[in-house]
Amino acid sequence: MSIDIQSKPTETPSKDKKWVGSKLNRLEDKRLIRGKGNYMEDLKPLPNIHHAAILRSPHGHARIKKIDYTKAIDIPGVRSVLVGDDIRDWVKPFPVVADNPGKYFPMAIDKVRYVGEPVAVVIAENQYVAEDALDLINVEYEALSATVNIEEAISEEAPLLHEEEGTNVAIQRNTKFGNVDEAFEEADTVVKERVVFNRFTCMPLETYGVIGHWDSSNHAANIWCNFQGPFSMHAVMAKALGVVPNKLRIMVPSDVGGGFGIKITIYPYSCLITLASRKAGVPVKWIEDRRENLIGSSSGTDRVTYMEMAAKKDGTITGVRYKIMDSVGAYIRPPEPGTIFRPYGNYSGPYKFRNVELDLTAVMTNKVPTGPNRGYSCGQLYHALERTVDKLAHTLNIDPVDLRRKNILEPSQFPYTTPTGGYYDVGDYPAVLNKLLKSADYKQLLKKQEEMRKQGRHVGIGISLAVDPAASNMGYMDVGTPKDHSNKERPKSGSSEAATITIDYGGGITVTLNTAPQGQGHETVAAQIVADQFGCSPYDILVTTGSDTGTRAWTIASGAYSSRFSGTAANAILMACEGLIVKMKKVASHLMECSTENLDVIDGKVVHKEDAQLSMSLKKLAGIIHWNPTILPDEISNGLTHTSYFSLDSVKPVDENGRVNSSGLYSFAVDLALVEIDKKTFELNILKYYMAHDIGKSLNPQIVEGQLYGGMLHGLANTLYEEMVYDKNGQILTGTLMDYTCPTSAESIDLEIDHLETPSTLTPLGARGTGEVATMTVPAALTNAVNDALKPYNVVINDLPITPSKLFSILKEAEK
Amino acid sequence: MKPSSFEMYTPNNIEDALSLLDKHGDEAKIITGGQSLVPTINMRLATPKSLIDLNRIDGLRYIKKEDNKILIGGVTRHHDLETSSLIKEHCPLLGLAAGCIGHLAIRYRGTIGGSLAHADPAATLPVALLTLDGKVKTTSVNGVREFDAEEFFYGIFTTAMEENEILTEVEIPIVPKEAGYSFSTLTRIHGDFPLLAVGVLMEVEEEKIVKARLTVGGINPLTERIVDVEEMLIGKKPSDELFYEAAQSSKDFMEPESDISASAEYRLHMVGVYVEEALKNAWQNIGKVGN
Amino acid sequence: MQENTHTMNITVNGVNYEKEVPVRKLLSDFLREDLGLTGTHVGCEHGVCGACTLFVNGEAIRSCLMFAIQADGADVTTIEGLERNGELHPMQESFSECHGLQCGFCTPGMMMAAIDFLKHNPNPTEQEVKEGMSGNICRCTGYKGIVDSVLKAAPLISKLETKSKVF
């Protein structure tokens, strides 16, 4: 029995059906199911690669008095040891948008500020020997008191992480939109809520990997790493390493074992390993181990939010005040403090209210520096917003669904500009909500809940809404630019991507991207798009992903993050196809002696519109262009390669009122959960989980479903299972997978998913983002459902993760 | 995360293994399944100078019946226990306890000797051994020693074993067909280390409990039977009320601590829930041994 | 410090090798570095994630918890050995058809564990698959595609002639 999966798609589009939108099995799978992937650890791109092991701080906060590595360097096989003193003259701090950021270098120089901070790097002939040497490095520390709690770290008494700054608050911004104070003064009801979001990490199965090669003859750095973009970090790295941009080459292999945001913040390690190469004079490879990953990579921020919501008696929300405090860890590492700014344009979510106050603070604590984590700061945002909406519903004794229906944007309001600058192009949010309510049979569900409650069961229904931002605006960070620094001279904007397509002499099509995907199926979707344009099979198309800034077309925004492929790269690919088609039509019109306007591309052929007999295959045309260019008219250039750049026009710089459309595209999602708290064990059983989305055009429904399930798992993980726990000295208590417990197949849940496709008006293919949305809705829906279950007992739980142990304490307290 | 250097010895017979162990003393560690040991070696939390691998010794991996006992070789795998028909027939609780250990890939490698000698307070096999009134045989160059389960465990990761000893055999008395049994664990996620493990063995004659053995693991530093509660059950007629009371009384013998997984109060509560459930299950299982 | 080595003999995917190997080298590292079989992925090196799962003498074990020299004389099958005579194993086909993988990093270990699971339970329910596969962590799929893949592969594997079964 043999099935060639390449020739057996789940669905075969017919003539009038396109590959785009079909459930095409993935092209990537062919190598991955055979164990022939090409991951960072598999690479040996240069001879004489040495291996690095990193000595890390055992202290949450300490001064480095002395480092003695004489014994380590004596071990046979050890080539060199890099310490903080070595890099003083080689690097500049990473540039940051913040008022009091402290100085962040690739490794500790005078002080360590979190457990796991790199203190020394051993470079040896293999990993085993490198780790032997770590054991022989003697570091003398003077331990200092640490601060790990957000609200304590802000206080005057807190130990300072960066003494020169005089505060642990890296950045604080307070901005009002509309007439917030008036809205609160005139409100019939004001509800207040404090919610706490836990610190958890992406935990991709593949850890960080870097091969750094310092080219001393050119003062250049060649770096292979499993970076996921954005390539704006290229600028951050070039500045830190003191190289001009064209002398920093970043290469990402075709296969990256998951990212979910964490591989954005690999770049300090990319720099560190390159500095190790500079010291050792050989290329250096470092594969992070799982312990390092859990203590020293990155995580999402833990956040405390104080919410205030003003409303009329009838439930109309009139204003919202957010007081957000994020713990960004020991350093503020770009793209942080993006955590407080990334959803700038959608702080009002899917709702109509126009009066918003944002009080946003990023606080430094003795924990690992944070960074994007699937849904970057939106899980936090909607957890707080949707909890407060539920509290308002509870206070006014209005059904939570009815309250939301009253406040969500109407289709007639689109295109809609939010009070903070977000631009929602088109949508029918009530229709999506209705779709969900219908699938869930909401009224019946309420009755069922009532019956179960009568049986004494702790049953709850929770709903959450989210506007999911995708394709981040490269300019959103400018809202954080210090007020005395005018950013008018160099405003930033855009969310762009590049694609190059080449057709070879045999008609073979190669797509070259710089999108550095980590499993999102870019090769497949690119092939679907191209196949539709040229009328060929997607399986005949070669798509090269990963990245190479030295040889490929790329943009500052390139990469696979913020759910951006379907709204950016997909369009660049489409445009590159169009560019080639224009050229091929020109050649055909010359050869066929007709006007290009009379030509169409159908089924791999250029065909005359009025005479189908008159046609030329693309293969033949490509052959002529490559083999016989002299017959082409002068105005047609040689070759068949086209590079296109696409940027979303709607993502402009910050405006004069401090508003910004922080993302290019916004999907809409509604989740509903039915849960039960076990009365004996206090475990949470998720009985039913419904989702409805409008993600615009779905380019590959199978991949979309995979993304929704994957996002759900991250949401489930942070809501119920995962937390990075630190003690008061900054010791991390979850440094292995034995302590940091990830949900397995046994904990995962089934979803009932509905879609409403309203194509985006901003992208030629009509697609928006989908990869992160479930991480935004799941924590809020589950927390609301649990609190609905707790409602008869008049208690609430607003801090994640919601564990059986916490539910036990709360309900026992309620019994008293 | 790579091990430091060591020497590995792979003796083919127990005599060689014992003399190697005697020679290297505390610088050597025995390795069989390695499922607990190798992670600590990879993390360099353990840096033994030598490992003595018992996997190539014939005659240490067996499950056999002798008289009214089941004898199990020290290098018998958890998966062997889980699937053995002899164990299913004569002491099914042990098979259940083995089946609760991690995942299949771990149970293929992990051994009964390794688990008992490691004496992790959260492990399931010590709970089973205590509940089943088993014995442990250890062997050194000086000869064989035999321990009742109660004498064997000293506390967290400590047992009665000397450094030059190997756990060579486990002996489990055959459980009468009339007995009832139960084994259960509480974990944070499926297959994770238990927060709590409960084993119960019960015999009832003429509607009265004549024998009860109850062990709770995962809470106290030393896993022990709760003899006071066992005595409370004996002579009584099984009933939901009795089991509830017994479960509540069990909590008096537990000293849980709070950690990142759960509060002490929650653990204590769950002792009550699990013991009650285990007693009920054992009662419902009466007469089902071997079926 | 001289690296302590032993000579070992091992059969991997039907090919016999004699190699001198550092005593402390993990089986996973040996396969990847010494034999170039990079399909076996290393995800945690402490036996939790399951990414490095492969078959040693017919049992799916975690290769990060075994020293290479402990596999002296053993018959090992890695992901690279699943395809036989140009024919994919049904598990490989099912994973692709049911979108059982995204980044592909957990996939080799996941498929090995799945084949082993079906050996013990050739006709499982969905719930049994969920519990039986819980020893392998995936962060991409939410496990949905994986569970579907295993359910789809089960009857296909049962139908395979014994000689074409991997184990």
Side-chain angles (χ1 to χ4, degrees):
Chain A
M1 188 188 71
S2 170
I3 305 168
D4 183 352
I5 59 149
Q6 275 212 341
S7 59
K8 195 171 166 285
T10 313
E11 265 177 44
T12 314
S14 58
K15 257 202 170 161
D16 43 17
K17 207 170 168 208
K18 299 283 189 187
W19 290 104
V20 167
S22 75
K23 285 184 175 180
L24 181 71
N25 288 336
R26 300 194 324 162
L27 273 61
E28 292 87 343
D29 295 353
K30 203 174 183 242
R31 61 178 183 275
L32 298 178
I33 57 171
R34 289 173 165 90
K36 304 281 188 195
N38 191 30
Y39 298 90
M40 209 40 236
E41 196 180 357
D42 309 335
L43 298 192
K44 285 180 185 167
L46 295 170
N48 200 25
I49 292 177
H50 279 55
H51 295 261
I54 300 174
L55 185 73
R56 291 170 180 276
S57 167
H59 294 282
H61 196 190
R63 217 171 290 288
I64 299 170
K65 309 288 279 184
K66 198 176 147 197
I67 305 180
D68 178 2
Y69 57 83
T70 44
K71 282 185 187 155
I73 201 105
D74 280 347
I75 297 180
V78 173
R79 183 166 177 119
S80 190
V81 177
L82 178 82
V83 294
D85 268 341
D86 294 317
I87 69 165
R88 276 182 208 279
D89 300 331
W90 288 350
V91 291
K92 293 195 177 73
F94 293 111
V96 186
V97 178
D99 302 346
N100 310 291
K103 288 190 177 106
Y104 179 40
F105 295 100
M107 69 193 302
I109 295 182
D110 300 313
K111 256 178 97 177
V112 289
R113 296 177 175 89
Y114 66 94
V115 168
E117 182 166 5
V119 173
V121 183
V122 172
I123 302 103
E125 62 185 25
N126 71 51
Q127 190 65 34
Y128 288 76
V129 172
E131 291 189 22
D132 291 344
L134 287 189
D135 295 341
L136 300 178
I137 299 175
N138 189 19
V139 186
E140 223 177 277
Y141 293 100
E142 177 197 335
L144 302 167
S145 18
T147 184
V148 295
N149 176 289
I150 299 172
E151 289 173 276
E152 278 171 25
I154 294 176
S155 76
E156 302 237 320
E157 303 80 51
L160 290 175
L161 276 83
H162 303 269
E163 289 92 343
E164 72 277 17
E165 302 290 5
T167 173
N168 290 326
V169 174
I171 182 167
Q172 201 261 338
R173 292 285 177 270
N174 183 293
T175 318
K176 291 178 184 176
F177 300 90
N179 296 310
V180 188
D181 296 333
E182 205 174 288
F184 276 83
E185 274 160 30
E186 292 173 2
D188 295 328
T189 308
V190 171
V191 292
K192 298 181 183 183
E193 195 77 328
R194 177 182 184 269
V195 295
V196 179
F197 201 86
N198 50 332
R199 176 177 277 242
F200 78 111
T201 186
C202 307
M203 221 296 285
L205 258 285
E206 181 201 32
T207 55
Y208 286 165
V210 179
I211 297 170
H213 176 221
W214 178 257
D215 174 0
S216 55
S217 48
N218 288 306
H219 199 77
N222 298 311
I223 305 174
W224 290 258
C225 56
N226 43 21
F227 176 56
Q228 67 178 98
F231 282 75
S232 50
M233 295 304 124
H234 185 281
V236 173
M237 292 165 71
K239 183 105 181 224
L241 287 173
V243 296
V244 291
N246 67 347
K247 301 235 172 135
L248 169 61
R249 184 176 174 190
I250 300 172
M251 288 155 280
V252 179
S254 60
D255 297 307
V256 174
F260 321 111
I262 205 170
K263 283 171 180 165
I264 292 171
T265 44
I266 185 179
Y267 69 86
Y269 286 102
S270 307
C271 292
L272 178 64
I273 298 307
T274 306
L275 294 165
S277 167
R278 186 169 177 175
K279 173 103 189 258
V282 288
V284 177
K285 185 172 189 171
W286 170 69
I287 302 297
E288 180 191 55
D289 70 34
R290 183 56 65 191
R291 243 186 341 179
E292 295 181 287
N293 169 261
L294 289 172
I295 68 171
S297 291
S298 188
S299 76
T301 55
D302 37 329
R303 171 179 291 189
V304 176
T305 309
Y306 288 90
M307 293 291 291
E308 290 185 28
M309 187 172 277
K312 291 187 193 156
K313 259 184 267 174
D314 69 354
T316 306
I317 302 167
T318 52
V320 172
R321 286 182 173 135
Y322 288 92
K323 183 175 166 60
I324 288 173
M325 287 167 278
D326 273 9
S327 152
V328 293
Y331 299 93
I332 191 148
R333 169 178 57 189
E336 299 289 27
T339 177
I340 52 178
F341 300 132
R342 191 245 181 169
Y344 211 78
N346 51 295
Y347 268 111
S348 55
Y351 300 117
K352 293 173 191 165
F353 64 82
R354 301 289 308 172
N355 305 309
V356 187
E357 180 174 346
L358 300 178
D359 190 287
L360 310 174
T361 306
V363 189
M364 293 182 284
T365 52
N366 293 106
K367 298 182 181 179
V368 69
T370 58
N373 192 348
R374 198 170 191 165
Y376 194 19
S377 79
C378 290
Q380 286 94 323
L381 164 62
Y382 292 115
H383 180 243
L385 178 59
E386 291 297 284
R387 274 303 301 133
T388 314
V389 172
D390 257 28
K391 180 158 184 180
L392 179 64
H394 183 42
T395 308
L396 296 174
N397 202 19
I398 300 176
D399 181 277
V401 168
D402 292 338
L403 187 84
R404 285 176 171 84
R405 211 193 283 283
K406 189 163 206 63
N407 287 287
I408 58 172
L409 293 164
E410 302 295 335
S412 59
Q413 290 178 276
F414 289 82
Y416 179 75
T417 301
T418 69
T420 47
Y423 180 77
Y424 303 170
D425 62 340
V426 64
D428 188 344
Y429 294 177
V432 180
L433 176 62
N434 289 339
K435 202 157 188 160
L436 176 102
L437 297 174
K438 198 175 166 200
S439 307
D441 200 349
Y442 182 63
K443 281 188 181 155
Q444 199 55 41
L445 216 54
L446 288 173
K447 276 189 199 152
K448 194 174 162 189
Q449 180 188 26
E450 204 47 50
E451 281 165 26
M452 290 168 96
R453 272 188 176 157
K454 275 182 196 152
Q455 296 160 13
R457 295 167 71 177
H458 302 329
V459 184
I461 296 172
I463 188 163
S464 71
L465 273 52
V467 171
D468 160 28
S472 290
N473 183 346
M474 286 292 105
Y476 77 68
M477 288 302 295
D478 289 344
V479 294
T481 304
K483 284 164 194 145
D484 50 350
H485 267 237
S486 169
N487 65 329
K488 283 177 188 159
E489 283 170 30
R490 283 182 58 190
K492 295 189 281 297
S493 70
S495 184
S496 54
E497 195 54 90
T500 301
I501 304 183
T502 293
I503 304 182
D504 61 35
Y505 59 85
I509 303 174
T510 301
V511 184
T512 307
L513 303 172
N514 202 73
T515 53
Q518 320 98 47
Q520 295 93 337
H522 292 186
E523 292 176 38
T524 306
V525 178
Q528 287 176 272
I529 295 166
V530 175
D532 278 348
Q533 294 306 307
F534 290 99
C536 58
S537 164
Y539 296 115
D540 294 335
I541 295 162
L542 178 72
V543 184
T544 304
T545 56
S547 157
D548 183 349
T549 60
T551 60
R552 299 187 195 172
W554 58 282
T555 78
I556 284 295
S558 280
Y561 62 95
S562 81
S563 307
R564 65 196 308 277
F565 180 86
S566 53
T568 57
N571 306 317
I573 294 163
L574 187 70
M575 287 164 63
C577 290
E578 286 165 358
L580 285 170
I581 285 169
V582 165
K583 182 167 186 179
M584 293 180 92
K585 278 187 184 171
K586 269 190 202 162
V587 175
S589 78
H590 175 71
L591 298 171
M592 289 157 74
E593 295 176 348
C594 63
S595 151
T596 54
E597 272 137 45
N598 288 330
L599 297 174
D600 259 344
V601 175
I602 301 166
D603 291 341
K605 282 180 279 198
V606 180
V607 183
H608 197 282
K609 280 179 184 169
E610 282 148 20
D611 181 1
Q613 298 299 317
L614 208 56
S615 74
M616 266 186 110
S617 72
L618 292 172
K619 186 177 172 183
K620 187 166 181 193
L621 272 169
I624 291 168
I625 293 169
H626 285 287
W627 287 108
N628 197 10
T630 59
I631 70 159
L632 301 180
D634 289 348
E635 68 270 22
I636 296 177
S637 59
N638 285 355
L640 258 181
T641 295
H642 195 100
T643 295
S644 283
Y645 294 85
F646 174 86
S647 184
L648 285 157
D649 290 336
S650 60
V651 282
K652 310 280 192 211
V654 175
D655 73 14
E656 59 281 9
N657 299 315
R659 296 179 170 87
V660 67
N661 183 25
S662 43
S663 296
L665 299 161
Y666 300 90
S667 295
F668 176 62
V670 190
D671 282 18
L672 189 145
L674 176 70
V675 306
E676 177 172 16
I677 303 166
D678 187 291
K679 288 184 80 171
K680 277 187 175 170
T681 65
F682 300 87
E683 282 162 355
L684 190 72
N685 299 314
I686 300 165
L687 306 176
K688 279 280 181 191
Y689 203 99
Y690 302 91
M691 288 180 168
H693 297 98
D694 188 346
I695 57 157
K697 171 79 180 163
S698 169
L699 304 182
N700 183 325
Q702 189 175 39
I703 290 177
V704 166
E705 187 186 271
Q707 289 296 320
L708 293 176
Y709 265 92
M712 171 277 291
L713 187 84
H714 282 256
L716 191 69
N718 96 274
T719 311
L720 303 183
Y721 300 104
E722 295 178 14
E723 184 174 24
M724 293 169 78
V725 185
Y726 287 80
D727 74 8
K728 63 180 191 335
N729 300 316
Q731 286 300 329
I732 183 161
L733 307 178
T734 46
T736 73
L737 288 181
M738 290 183 250
D739 316 297
Y740 189 84
T741 43
C742 302
T744 73
S745 45
E747 284 72 47
S748 189
I749 58 170
D750 289 325
L751 304 175
E752 298 196 25
I753 302 170
D754 262 319
H755 289 285
L756 185 80
E757 274 195 12
T758 316
S760 168
T761 58
L762 303 173
T763 61
L765 290 165
R768 299 195 188 87
T770 187
E772 299 168 277
V773 62
T775 66
M776 305 175 192
T777 46
V778 171
L782 287 178
T783 311
N784 280 342
V786 170
N787 280 299
D788 188 43
L790 295 174
K791 208 164 126 190
Y793 306 90
N794 242 344
V795 284
V796 289
I797 180 163
N798 276 332
D799 59 324
L800 303 179
I802 299 171
T803 60
S805 183
K806 280 187 197 168
L807 289 173
F808 168 78
S809 311
I810 285 168
L811 279 163
K812 286 291 147 188
E813 198 57 39
E815 271 179 17
K816 287 176 194 167
Chain B
M1 204 192 281
K2 306 293 180 193
S4 58
S5 281
F6 55 83
E7 181 52 283
M8 172 87 85
Y9 299 97
T10 49
N12 292 316
N13 58 63
I14 186 75
E15 291 76 20
D16 287 355
L18 292 171
S19 60
L20 278 164
L21 191 57
D22 199 57
K23 183 175 147 202
H24 292 281
D26 64 356
E27 292 192 339
K29 273 208 174 290
I30 295 288
I31 182 167
T32 55
Q35 302 298 291
S36 298
L37 179 61
V38 180
T40 64
I41 290 178
N42 286 355
M43 292 183 199
R44 300 196 183 207
L45 299 171
T47 53
K49 289 228 167 93
S50 308
L51 288 180
I52 301 168
D53 184 349
L54 305 186
N55 287 299
R56 297 192 186 255
I57 300 178
D58 284 337
L60 280 180
R61 184 178 180 183
Y62 57 84
I63 300 169
K64 60 188 179 191
K65 182 170 173 272
E66 246 174 43
D67 305 324
N68 57 349
K69 293 174 291 199
I70 296 294
L71 301 178
I72 302 160
V75 185
T76 303
R77 313 283 165 179
H78 304 324
H79 188 248
D80 298 340
L81 303 174
E82 187 186 6
T83 52
S84 154
S85 52
L86 272 180
I87 286 178
K88 223 164 252 165
E89 190 178 344
H90 298 295
C91 49
L93 187 151
L94 182 64
L96 288 183
C100 287
I101 300 170
H103 306 278
L104 205 47
I106 289 165
R107 299 196 293 272
Y108 283 137
R109 297 285 300 161
T111 64
I112 187 168
S115 174
L116 294 175
H118 187 47
D120 189 323
T124 63
L125 292 184
V127 174
L129 189 78
L130 285 156
T131 310
L132 292 167
D133 201 15
K135 286 186 168 55
V136 168
K137 274 178 217 161
T138 60
T139 311
S140 72
V141 287
N142 307 321
V144 177
R145 296 200 295 161
E146 195 176 286
F147 300 91
D148 286 340
E150 279 80 9
E151 307 165 338
F152 184 69
F153 299 106
Y154 282 9
I156 302 173
F157 303 129
T158 48
T159 67
M161 284 173 76
E162 297 289 337
E163 272 158 8
N164 67 343
E165 284 183 306
I166 292 172
L167 200 161
T168 42
E169 189 173 77
V170 175
E171 181 186 310
I172 307 282
I174 280 178
V175 176
K177 294 220 177 303
E178 303 76 42
Y181 64 93
S182 170
F183 192 89
S184 51
T185 56
L186 169 69
T187 58
R188 295 168 294 181
I189 52 169
H190 197 81
D192 190 26
F193 254 85
L195 297 176
L196 177 65
V198 179
V200 170
L201 197 66
M202 192 188 290
E203 286 175 43
V204 177
E205 281 174 19
E206 294 172 3
E207 296 193 348
K208 285 203 176 110
I209 298 172
V210 292
K211 188 174 174 187
R213 295 179 73 90
L214 165 66
T215 316
V216 176
I219 302 282
N220 292 347
L222 173 64
T223 299
E224 287 177 299
R225 283 166 46 215
I226 313 181
V227 179
D228 292 55
V229 173
E230 292 173 357
E231 284 169 359
M232 171 183 162
L233 291 163
I234 287 169
K236 307 255 172 64
K237 190 178 168 191
S239 71
D240 286 355
E241 295 71 32
L242 176 69
F243 295 151
Y244 174 78
E245 264 174 52
Q248 293 310 309
S249 303
S250 305
K251 290 165 42 173
D252 297 342
F253 302 91
M254 296 289 125
E255 290 168 0
E257 285 185 11
S258 297
D259 67 10
I260 57 169
S261 306
S263 67
E265 294 75 24
Y266 177 69
R267 284 165 193 264
L268 202 58
H269 165 77
M270 291 306 283
V271 168
V273 172
Y274 266 59
V275 170
E276 186 183 350
E277 208 57 31
L279 291 169
K280 281 186 191 170
N281 277 343
W283 166 232
Q284 276 158 16
N285 264 335
I286 289 276
K288 288 186 187 160
V289 173
N291 295 325
Chain C
M1 202 188 316
Q2 191 64 37
E3 186 75 54
N4 182 19
T5 63
H6 284 192
T7 301
M8 68 180 281
N9 197 294
I10 188 169
T11 302
V12 183
N13 302 331
V15 181
N16 190 263
Y17 302 87
E18 190 171 295
K19 290 269 180 187
E20 193 174 323
V21 186
V23 170
R24 58 171 162 166
K25 194 159 207 172
L26 298 169
L27 179 59
S28 46
D29 287 344
F30 167 76
L31 292 166
R32 293 180 50 82
E33 292 166 13
D34 297 48
L35 303 188
L37 296 167
T38 54
T40 297
H41 298 152
V42 177
C44 77
E45 292 174 293
H46 55 283
V48 182
C49 80
C52 65
T53 305
L54 47 77
F55 280 85
V56 174
N57 295 330
E59 289 175 339
I61 60 100
R62 291 174 174 179
S63 58
C64 74
L65 295 188
M66 195 166 170
F67 299 106
I69 59 162
Q70 289 187 291
D72 187 12
D75 188 357
V76 171
T77 304
T78 68
I79 184 70
E80 290 92 341
L82 278 191
E83 192 177 4
R84 295 276 162 99
N85 306 319
E87 290 189 13
L88 287 172
H89 189 277
M91 192 61 77
Q92 292 172 302
E93 287 164 2
S94 299
F95 262 72
S96 180
E97 284 168 23
C98 301
H99 198 29
L101 66 152
Q102 289 181 26
C103 80
F105 201 82
C106 75
T107 312
M110 192 68 79
M111 290 200 285
M112 294 311 220
I115 292 168
D116 187 61
F117 164 71
L118 290 179
K119 217 167 58 171
H120 296 282
N121 189 349
N123 185 25
T125 63
E126 186 176 330
Q127 188 55 31
E128 285 168 347
V129 173
K130 284 184 174 180
E131 288 175 12
M133 292 301 296
S134 65
N136 290 58
I137 298 176
C138 167
R139 295 293 268 188
C140 292
T141 61
Y143 301 101
K144 161 81 170 155
I146 292 170
V147 173
D148 289 351
S149 303
V150 178
L151 287 170
K152 177 161 188 149
L156 299 175
I157 291 176
S158 297
K159 271 186 240 157
L160 279 184
E161 284 177 42
T162 319
K163 69 174 167 58
S164 33
K165 281 195 184 175
V166 178
F167 308 102

